[in-house]
Amino acid sequence: MPDRGGGPTGPRMRVGRPSRRVRTLLLTLGVLAVLGMAFTMFAGFWTDWLWYRSVNYSSVFTTTLWTKIGLFFVFGLLMALAVGFNIWLAHRLRPPLSAMSMEQQNLDRYRMGIAPYKKWLLLGITALVGLIAGASASSQWRTWLMWVNGVSFGEKDPQFKLDVSFFAFDLPWYRFLLGFGFAATILSVIAAALTHYLYGGLRVTSPGARATAAATGHLSVLLGIFVALKAVAYWLDRYGLAVKSSDFKATDNWTGLRYVDANAYLPAKTILFCIAVICALLFFATLWRRTWQLPVIGFGLMVLSAILIGGLYPAIVQKFQVQPNEQAKEAPYVEKNLKATREAYGIDGTKVTDYSGTSKTEDKATLRDEADATASIRIMDPNIVSPTFQQLQQIRNYYAFPTNLDVDRYTKDGKEQDTVIGLRELNLAGIPKKNWINNHFRYTHGYGVVAAEGTSADSQGRPVFTESDLPSEGDLPRYEQRIYYGEKTTTYSIVGGPQKEIDYSDDNGEKTTSYQGDSGVNLSNSVNRAAYAVAFGEPQILYSGAIGDGSRILYNRTPKERVEAVAPWLTIDGDAYPAVVDGRIQWIVDAYTTTNGYPYSSRTTLGDTTADSLTANNTNRAVVAQQNQVNYIRNSVKATVDAYTGEVKLFQWDTEDPVLKTWMKAFPGTVEPRSEISGSLMDHLRYPQDLFKVQRELLTRYHVKDATTFLSGSEVWQVPDDPTNRAGNAVPPYYLSMRMPDQKEQAFSLTTTFTPNGRDNLSAFMAVDAEAGTPGYGTIRILKLPTNTTVNGPKQVQSQFNSQEDIAESIRLLRGGDSEVEYGNLLTVPLDGGLLYVEPVYVRGGGLKYPLLRKVLVTYGGETAFENTLEEALNKVFGAEGATPTPEPPDEGEDTPPPPTSDNPTVEEALQDAQKAFDAGQEALKDNDWEAYGRAQEDLEEALRRAEEAQSEAGRTGGTEGGSPSPDPSPSG
């Protein structure tokens, strides 16, 4: 045979084979590489199994795993069989060899080339498509489990009269099967056509017939199956109209049928279904007729019908029937959407009442008392005072508090009070010396709760701590203070072994401990150590002497990721919060069940509706399910994570939710009944913020109940931007103990405001009863303000604060030097027909690195006050007796309290002189008369010195008690 390789001619060089030693070495390296890859895959699987077993949720792991494996093999095998069978059949139906054309001569080279490898090639192709199809199908495990375990909603859609479960659980699975069928058919057509072409069944350039009868029949059947699947798609599209989203009027995510859908698209889909069935039969008929003439004509008619009936006809109906009389045509369908959306988001029970926005009582003394009875106004903003907690209660650099603290309720002296709470969590960035032992063995946990009254501050503007110091002490009963699981605990720790852990340190040195819990995975087994060494990429785990008997590895330690792992079918709230329950610190996590298959209910993107000014500026407060579009949501599960043991418990909260019931069937035993929630835990459960934010966003449009108003868009609201920052993000909702007009006593509530679309005045105030276990829990109330009058909204109130000359001057003085002013939460409280706004003002500057409460802004009925305390500000706004003005605090952030009032006549006279001197100084500042300002400061200092001496003398002689003025009151110029 001639050499066709084109290489050099002449004597061939003898190439020596590798020696046996080299071959053995290469074989050994190959085997080791394969074993290494296999062990790496095994390590990931094994560590996952060990973790799920350690948290007692191994059934979640096994159910999910076997479901994925089952779907992988079933659909992978089906796809492989479908493609492989059609390749085999096309090969079997190949025509006998005959005189070859040029086309066939060229193909003959390929036929000869693959002839020895036909079986292997067939196996390789089928295995490849099977693997791809199986991997795709395994990702549909949620769809499969919901279909096979779905329970009835007990509600029917208004168009087809089918239970909602059909759209939520059945339709997604049917669509997956349809998509799989299309993929298998298309791949089979391609594979069969290529095989027929390769073996002469199809010809492109050869003379004579373009296809053999066998190839014609084979491909016609496949095309008939494709068209039959298209018929099924048309039929399912009819039901898909009930959950189809489109832009319409006041909403960008309108869902459900409109007039054109019900009267044009729906009959069009039915007609196209019938045409597709007929067309499929024509393709099947080619088995006998051996011609493509009729099926091709039928297919062309089907395409033309899809254009005319499925596209042009609905456009004509929309243009000439709907648009000339849109409100009348669309009103019935809008009403269905309104009803379904309100039910799907749990806002159908919202109570909307008219509210005047102006006070009805002229007696200001009565209003002053009513203000105290209406709300326990929180002046400690949990989103501002974290640096203050950090500075005063961090104690050691390896502890830290979250950027945003939490608000909870605790009882003191038999009275429930709003409390700002945070945990002293581990901060690895503050470890004195970083190395592998310190990072993972010695510094393993945080220590203690720090809590402060939400409604008060001390004389220096600091929080009034009810639980503080290290170890923490205060009003809380004894509890396990070690925090091994928290929001800042994002790395693994190895505990319980020979290496002691740092508990905390004090003046007597370091206190050490050894973990006594049964959390985590035991590392005494060498296989486990090797698996974790590979999984974590840390070889020291395999051989370190710091690991021994009793060593356990803790990971997946944040509350959110633990709940997500044991319940992957839940959507987790972005903010977990801690509570002391029965001697333990428990993280409480709200979790939601969702679907996007609720007919007629408009969709929303969770990531957009739960974003606000806090999530934008804080990585610790996550946005829930960033891109997840849903049109049904329930806070169906309350979860807890023990801060010491990491134990996860899921409690059924919504006992009627059919989506939760479906998942409980799929994962039996994972969710405990609601009756298992203890009374002490119930005291700390609350209405979740993310659900509230989703509901308030929907209520900007769906607070109306009639179609005419909805279509006109005249009642569209918006969530206002946060006026306390310039980022342009939505104002966050605030927890507050308050009383709505129809309530007899205060209730722990979650509140927000609304403004008209595109305007800044107030249109409504919304509150939900947030205290779990109470009869009114979850009741949403909206106070709707009249549209013919203007009531200031949050942005306007903030602007009013900033524009008043005396307040602006005081703010300027507070900003003196290098001080910064930080505005706290602008709280809104309905009061006697009007609206009371309260905003704490903090100063951070001078030598201080943390904010202190310096002033409180209050406005009501056009009256505004800017005073040192909430009580003084309320007294001034309502003209109550006993409100004595006080001089401004120092303007450079000095830690100096303003002088209080006194009943001692001498002290009172001195304080009046101090006030006169202060006012004179302010006038001098306005006139830029620095000489007069200096004299005024000297007079102010002298008056305060006299007040202090008189107060001290009164204290020694048993006189009337009073506050002590500051020893260094003079502000710097």
Side-chain angles (χ1 to χ4, degrees), residues 746-814:
Q746 292 182 19
F748 190 64
S749 305
L750 193 52
T751 65
T752 192
T753 52
F754 294 109
T755 57
N757 193 27
R759 297 169 58 194
D760 294 325
N761 57 289
L762 198 68
S763 58
F765 175 83
M766 172 180 168
V768 62
D769 286 5
E771 188 164 359
T774 60
Y777 174 81
T779 301
I780 300 175
R781 296 177 174 87
I782 292 180
L783 302 180
K784 183 175 177 294
L785 281 80
T787 56
N788 57 354
T789 60
T790 301
V791 178
N792 286 341
K795 188 174 181 179
Q796 292 172 323
V797 169
Q798 188 70 47
S799 177
Q800 180 181 351
F801 284 154
N802 297 337
S803 61
Q804 280 196 222
E805 187 175 347
D806 55 340
I807 295 178
E809 180 63 21
S810 298
I811 294 291
R812 190 190 69 78
L813 289 174
L814 289 173

Side-chain angles (χ1 to χ4, degrees), residues 17-276:
R17 296 179 60 191
S19 66
R20 178 176 297 180
R21 179 178 297 178
V22 172
R23 293 200 305 271
T24 303
L25 178 60
L26 292 175
L27 180 61
T28 303
L29 291 175
V31 171
L32 289 176
V34 171
L35 289 176
M37 292 184 354
F39 189 79
T40 299
M41 291 186 290
F42 167 78
F45 165 81
W46 185 244
T47 53
D48 285 347
W49 161 250
L50 291 174
W51 186 86
Y52 276 97
R53 192 175 64 175
S54 73
V55 293
N56 298 317
Y57 281 89
S58 56
S59 63
V60 174
F61 180 81
T62 54
T63 299
T64 305
L65 178 65
W66 286 117
T67 302
K68 289 180 178 179
I69 290 174
L71 292 172
F72 177 86
F73 279 105
V74 168
F75 286 95
L77 186 61
L78 286 175
M79 181 65 77
L81 288 175
V83 175
F85 172 77
N86 281 284
I87 292 175
W88 173 84
L89 183 60
H91 179 265
R92 184 177 178 83
L93 296 176
R94 68 190 183 279
L97 292 176
S98 59
M100 290 190 179
S101 64
M102 184 61 66
E103 179 184 24
Q104 293 304 310
Q105 290 179 22
N106 291 330
L107 289 174
D108 191 51
R109 282 183 282 174
Y110 295 102
R111 289 193 285 261
M112 293 177 64
I114 66 172
Y117 312 106
K118 284 192 294 188
K119 290 183 179 180
W120 292 108
L121 187 61
L122 178 62
L123 290 175
I125 293 173
T126 55
L128 179 62
V129 296
L131 287 172
I132 296 173
S136 176
S138 66
S139 66
Q140 298 293 321
W141 64 271
R142 291 180 176 86
T143 307
W144 161 261
L145 287 176
M146 294 186 78
W147 177 68
V148 78
N149 295 288
V151 301
S152 171
F153 272 69
E155 301 173 11
K156 296 184 182 299
D157 80 286
Q159 180 68 40
F160 302 101
K161 308 305 179 184
L162 295 173
D163 192 90
V164 172
S165 61
F166 171 81
F167 301 91
F169 305 143
D170 300 342
L171 190 58
W173 178 249
Y174 297 153
R175 281 180 163 168
F176 164 72
L177 292 179
L178 182 64
F180 177 84
F182 273 124
T185 304
I186 291 171
L187 288 176
S188 296
V189 168
I190 294 172
L194 288 175
T195 305
H196 280 298
Y197 176 71
L198 182 63
Y199 287 97
L202 292 178
R203 304 180 183 92
V204 177
T205 61
S206 300
R210 299 298 184 188
T212 64
T216 300
H218 183 194
L219 294 178
S220 294
V221 170
L222 290 176
L223 292 173
I225 293 173
F226 177 85
V227 176
L229 290 173
K230 188 61 180 175
V232 176
Y234 281 132
W235 189 257
L236 291 181
D237 285 347
R238 299 169 66 256
Y239 303 111
L241 293 171
V243 289
K244 182 194 74 171
S245 288
S246 60
D247 296 342
F248 177 58
K249 290 300 180 181
T251 175
D252 295 332
N253 289 301
W254 166 277
T255 301
L257 285 85
R258 291 157 49 189
Y259 181 88
V260 69
D261 297 313
N263 295 278
Y265 280 111
L266 189 58
K269 296 292 183 183
T270 305
I271 295 171
L272 289 172
F273 164 76
C274 297
I275 293 174

